[in-house]
Amino acid sequence: MGYSSKLKDPFIDRLFEAILVLENEEECYRFFEDICTIAELKAMAQRLEVAKMLRANRKYSDIAEETGASTATISRVKRCLNYGADGYKLVLDRLEEKEKK
């Protein structure tokens, strides 16, 4: 059985369809620079880096210092890693596999 999100919505479906048609990093930059504010984009990138560091068992203080994330943000990401929809896990696993090749 597939994943059933509580956020399921036609607008979000369309957004994800749009993201999935992007073919390379340049296209991602073009699209995300248009659709997100700089702060939104940097916040998403920061949370992904926080998740990566948490998976590597880094200390909150080190993560906060290196990423600039607040301890509240780090805690939220940690909660998602432990109790979320496994989205971070999926992406981080795939990125690790890609780095190995």
Side-chain angles (χ1 to χ4, degrees):
M1 183 160 96
Y3 176 70
S4 178
S5 174
K6 297 174 190 141
L7 300 175
K8 186 87 171 126
D9 169 274
F11 292 149
I12 295 175
D13 289 349
R14 188 70 178 145
L15 172 64
F16 293 161
E17 288 172 23
I19 292 168
L20 289 169
V21 300
L22 298 171
E23 294 181 3
N24 55 47
E25 191 174 280
E26 180 186 334
E27 290 182 2
C28 287
Y29 270 100
R30 290 168 157 239
F31 179 68
F32 283 97
E33 282 182 37
D34 284 349
I35 201 165
C36 295
T37 66
I38 294 168
E40 290 167 337
L41 193 51
K42 287 188 174 199
M44 288 188 286
Q46 180 188 64
R47 288 192 293 266
L48 183 59
E49 188 62 25
V50 166
K52 181 180 176 183
M53 294 173 82
L54 283 168
R55 274 195 14 158
N57 295 313
R58 300 285 301 276
K59 295 180 193 172
Y60 274 40
S61 57
D62 293 340
I63 296 170
E65 185 177 323
E66 288 185 41
T67 66
S70 68
T71 55
T73 296
I74 298 168
S75 293
R76 264 185 258 126
V77 172
K78 179 78 169 180
R79 194 168 32 254
C80 288
L81 284 169
N82 291 332
Y83 306 108
D86 289 335
Y88 281 122
K89 180 183 181 330
L90 177 72
V91 167
L92 292 172
D93 286 350
R94 288 186 182 165
L95 287 171
E96 285 175 12
E97 280 300 312
K98 184 178 176 185
E99 287 173 12
K100 288 178 185 176
K101 293 179 181 178

